[in-house]
Amino acid sequence: MRDILPDLRARCADGVPFALATVVAVHGSAPRDPGAVMAVDAAGTVLGSVSGGCVEGDLYEVAREVLAGAGPRLVSYGISDDEAFGVGLTCGGTIEVLVRAYASEGERAELAALLDLIAAGRPVAEATVLSGAAETGARLVVRPADAGPTTGTLGNEGLDAAVTDDARGLLAQGLTGIQRYGAHGQRRMQEVAVFVRTYAPPPRMLVFGAIDHAAATARIGSFLGYRVTVCDARPAFATRERFPTADEVVRAWPHTYLESTEVDARTVICVLTHDPRFDVPLLVAALRTPAAYIGVMGSRRTHHDRLARLRAAGVDEAHLARLASPVGLDLGARTPEETAVSIAAEIIQHRWGGTGRPLGDLTGAIHRDR
């Protein structure tokens, strides 16, 4: 949704009807995850993609029918690998897509309210009935308990209450998926399928050390969807001009800033300082956080010296094992930009559990269990 967010908000504001196709389930080696969207507006303009081009042609026709008044539709594309080419999914696999229209002013206003929350970086979840003993396409917008009430309904109070509770749990974990209930929200029943799409704020990337490598890392972090902060204690280096793509540039001692800012289990930390005055106290602080990734730049000699200093500071072996150091995957990188790609590749590997090996050397599914 985020990749076409400005276009959708513009169409809502301008009163342009459109149909929205959302991937709600993926089985096998399909190219896009649940939550991927494609929109088709009244003029026939296409925004976004749900399969990297495999099924968009057929889905375009479905969207036009829905926009013309056919009602919400849940469609499947797939497929055994042998049949994949017949329907256009060249990678094999199966995707299920919900297509619904935002044709009326009221429908667009409801969606616009959700889009505004997403654009503002507010945590929010959207629950939509897919099938079963409830109206297909019925929507419920759920916010954290302390952030405002739910809006919309899935048909009855029991179902709304159960879905609200589960949606808040999924939102806290940053997870998206299908949940199943009884007609009135009963657990462990299969009468109603509900797709819950969560929109958590972007994860943070904290880059310490205002050097050329940090500028390149900040750029690729923004490209990957992180909210990037660059921090350095030196005013001459920590400037907006040097880091135009960063969301914020902070002039502070790195460990002091880290101890005062929010770090959660999705945060990635890149320590590019090269200086024991900065990186030892910073890493002591970083290893106390639940950060998903802590990468540290330096030569192997610097790495071994750093480990000795951290042990002297009281850091145990279990915590030291969390460090990705020297930072990055072995890509043969030379330039700051190539090094940033190496760092980004390692962050992705940590996030999804990849091997870091060439896909051509491996067998089995390319896309791991989602």
Side-chain angles (χ1 to χ4, degrees):
M1 180 80 81
R2 295 183 194 276
D3 54 345
I4 61 171
L5 185 61
D7 296 297
L8 293 181
R9 295 182 76 195
R11 281 158 175 75
C12 288
D14 295 340
V16 177
F18 59 89
L20 194 63
T22 304
V23 176
V24 297
V26 168
H27 310 283
S29 185
R32 299 293 302 272
D33 284 333
V37 298
M38 182 183 93
V40 179
D41 69 16
T45 302
V46 177
L47 307 168
S49 170
V50 297
S51 72
C54 296
V55 302
E56 274 71 4
D58 184 78
L59 196 55
Y60 175 86
E61 299 300 331
V62 175
R64 297 283 285 178
E65 293 172 6
V66 170
L67 192 55
R73 288 181 57 187
L74 181 64
V75 294
S76 296
Y77 296 95
I79 52 233
S80 67
D81 290 336
D82 292 338
E83 299 169 327
F85 272 98
V87 295
L89 274 177
T90 56
C91 299
T94 303
I95 62 173
E96 296 180 44
V97 184
L98 177 67
V99 187
R100 62 162 298 160
Y102 293 89
S104 72
E105 183 177 346
E107 290 170 331
R108 290 191 298 275
E110 290 179 359
L111 181 62
L114 172 65
L115 299 178
D116 288 346
L117 291 172
I118 298 170
R122 305 287 179 82
V124 64
E126 180 187 31
T128 307
V129 172
L130 300 181
S131 61
E135 181 183 355
T136 299
R139 296 171 63 246
L140 186 70
V141 175
V142 181
R143 302 175 67 183
D146 59 354
T150 61
T151 57
T153 181
L154 303 183
N156 61 74
E157 292 184 1
L159 184 57
D160 288 349
V163 173
T164 295
D165 185 51
D166 289 348
R168 285 174 175 159
L170 292 171
L171 183 58
Q173 300 174 72
L175 300 177
T176 286
I178 296 176
Q179 306 293 305
R180 300 183 186 278
Y181 306 90
H184 294 274
Q186 300 95 325
R187 306 290 181 177
R188 300 183 180 180
M189 298 185 70
Q190 305 287 316
E191 294 178 76
V192 182
V194 179
F195 177 64
V196 180
R197 174 68 167 104
T198 64
Y199 300 92
R204 301 190 70 188
M205 173 182 281
L206 305 179
V207 181
F208 294 97
I211 63 176
D212 289 347
H213 289 83
T217 301
R219 288 195 297 272
I220 202 166
S222 296
F223 176 76
L224 292 176
Y226 286 93
R227 181 165 65 89
V228 178
T229 298
V230 176
C231 177
D232 196 298
R234 302 167 296 177
F237 292 90
T239 66
R240 172 56 63 187
E241 290 74 20
R242 285 171 54 81
F243 300 95
T245 65
D247 294 281
E248 56 182 350
V249 179
V250 176
R251 298 173 184 173
W253 281 86
H255 72 282
T256 301
Y257 173 71
L258 184 60
E259 290 170 346
S260 66
T261 194
E262 180 182 356
V263 176
D264 63 21
R266 300 188 301 151
T267 302
V268 300
I269 297 174
C270 300
V271 179
L272 313 180
T273 51
H274 282 284
D275 188 332
R277 294 176 302 165
F278 293 102
D279 62 14
V280 170
L282 171 58
L283 290 172
V284 170
L287 289 168
R288 296 192 187 112
T289 73
Y293 171 89
I294 305 171
V296 195
M297 178 172 281
S299 67
R300 297 194 187 280
R301 178 180 297 178
T302 299
H303 169 65
H304 290 302
D305 176 68
R306 183 186 294 124
L307 290 180
R309 291 173 182 270
L310 289 170
R311 290 187 182 103
V315 179
D316 63 31
E317 298 302 315
H319 283 84
L320 292 178
R322 293 182 60 198
L323 298 178
S325 176
V327 70
L329 297 185
D330 178 19
L331 305 181
R334 294 289 186 270
T335 67
E337 290 73 20
E338 290 174 346
T339 301
V341 171
S342 170
I343 294 170
E346 186 173 51
I347 289 171
I348 295 168
Q349 179 197 23
H350 273 248
R351 182 179 182 184
W352 298 113
T355 66
R357 296 173 56 196
L359 288 171
D361 291 349
L362 304 174
T363 59
I366 291 176
H367 300 286
R368 292 169 175 265
D369 185 5
R370 302 165 195 258

